Amino acid sequence: MAPPASPRPATSREIIQIAGAAIALVAVIIAGMSLVVPMTLAPMREDMRLLREEVAGLRQDMIDGFKAVREVMTANRERLTRVETLIEQGTGRFQTPESPRPE
């Protein structure tokens, strides 16, 4: 039986071809990524911009709503104060349930 053949050493030309192929492969990967990444990120950036605008709109709606609630509460507080004042001024003029009403 013949002894197994040992692998022959690579020549300079083969090493240059392998290195060139590796460099070409890396260049193709980098070029592909430089095209794919912006195409993927652009819609995400637009979505984020739209979300920021929507959140800002919601925030402004909340601020406006709270202002309206404060205004209503202030108006109700003032009305309640006026009613309390009228009741205090009119104490004694109203008939209580215990006192019979003249007929």
Side-chain angles (χ1 to χ4, degrees):
M1 190 157 196
S6 63
R8 65 176 179 80
T11 62
S12 299
R13 180 180 168 103
E14 292 172 336
I15 291 174
I16 292 173
Q17 286 177 341
I18 292 172
I23 291 171
L25 179 63
V26 169
V28 167
I29 291 172
I30 290 173
M33 291 193 60
S34 68
L35 293 175
V36 171
V37 170
M39 290 172 40
T40 304
L41 293 180
M44 290 173 57
R45 286 186 184 126
E46 181 64 19
D47 288 344
M48 289 174 62
R49 187 186 64 76
L50 292 173
L51 283 171
R52 283 189 186 110
E53 287 177 4
E54 188 174 338
V55 167
L58 289 172
R59 182 177 293 131
Q60 188 60 46
D61 289 347
M62 286 176 51
I63 290 169
D64 294 343
F66 284 134
K67 285 179 185 175
V69 167
R70 279 191 217 112
E71 290 172 4
V72 169
M73 288 177 63
T74 301
N76 286 340
R77 188 176 306 122
E78 290 171 1
R79 289 177 67 195
L80 179 60
T81 302
R82 286 193 304 267
V83 168
E84 287 174 340
T85 303
L86 290 173
I87 289 173
E88 289 172 0
Q89 289 173 354
T91 303
R93 285 195 280 165
F94 296 103
Q95 293 185 352
T96 59
E98 296 94 27
S99 60
R101 187 174 197 188
E103 294 184 30

